[in-house]
Amino acid sequence: MTNPDYIIIEAEEDGVHVIGLTRGTDTKFHHSEKLDAGEVMIAQFTEHTSAMKIRGKAKIISAHGIVESGSKK
């Protein structure tokens, strides 16, 4: 990948989970982070990470726009 995409994840509640998923024929979890309200994570898609799952209320900012995920409740 010559110019991988970055995303910014801003937790809007405690306990937001960010889960990295692998690339390839078998998609697997390969990394997990837990964010509390107000914490920000900058993540990058790589040759190993093809998708991210965000569980909890968070704002996700990318070159494609802003998306808000729902609450865990």
Side-chain angles (χ1 to χ4, degrees), residues 17-39:
H17 289 270
V18 180
I19 303 163
L21 302 168
T22 61
R23 187 177 300 279
T25 56
D26 295 325
T27 301
K28 299 177 185 173
F29 296 127
H30 76 82
H31 189 81
S32 177
E33 292 286 337
K34 186 175 176 183
L35 303 176
D36 286 332
E39 291 186 319

Side-chain angles (χ1 to χ4, degrees), residues 2 4 7-8 12 14-15 18 21-24 30 34 36 39-40 46-47 49 52 55 58 61-62 68 70-71 73:
T2 58
I7 64 169
I8 298 168
E12 296 184 343
D14 289 345
V18 180
L21 302 168
T22 61
R23 187 177 300 279
H30 76 82
K34 186 175 176 183
D36 286 332
E39 291 186 319
V40 173
T46 67
E47 64 274 1
T49 304
M52 291 180 204
R55 182 178 293 150
I61 304 163
S62 75
E68 292 193 22
S71 177
K73 298 170 184 155

Side-chain angles (χ1 to χ4, degrees), residues 1-7 23 43-47 49 63-64:
M1 298 186 126
T2 58
N3 191 9
D5 287 332
Y6 288 87
I7 64 169
R23 187 177 300 279
Q44 179 181 32
F45 291 98
T46 67
E47 64 274 1
T49 304
H64 304 284

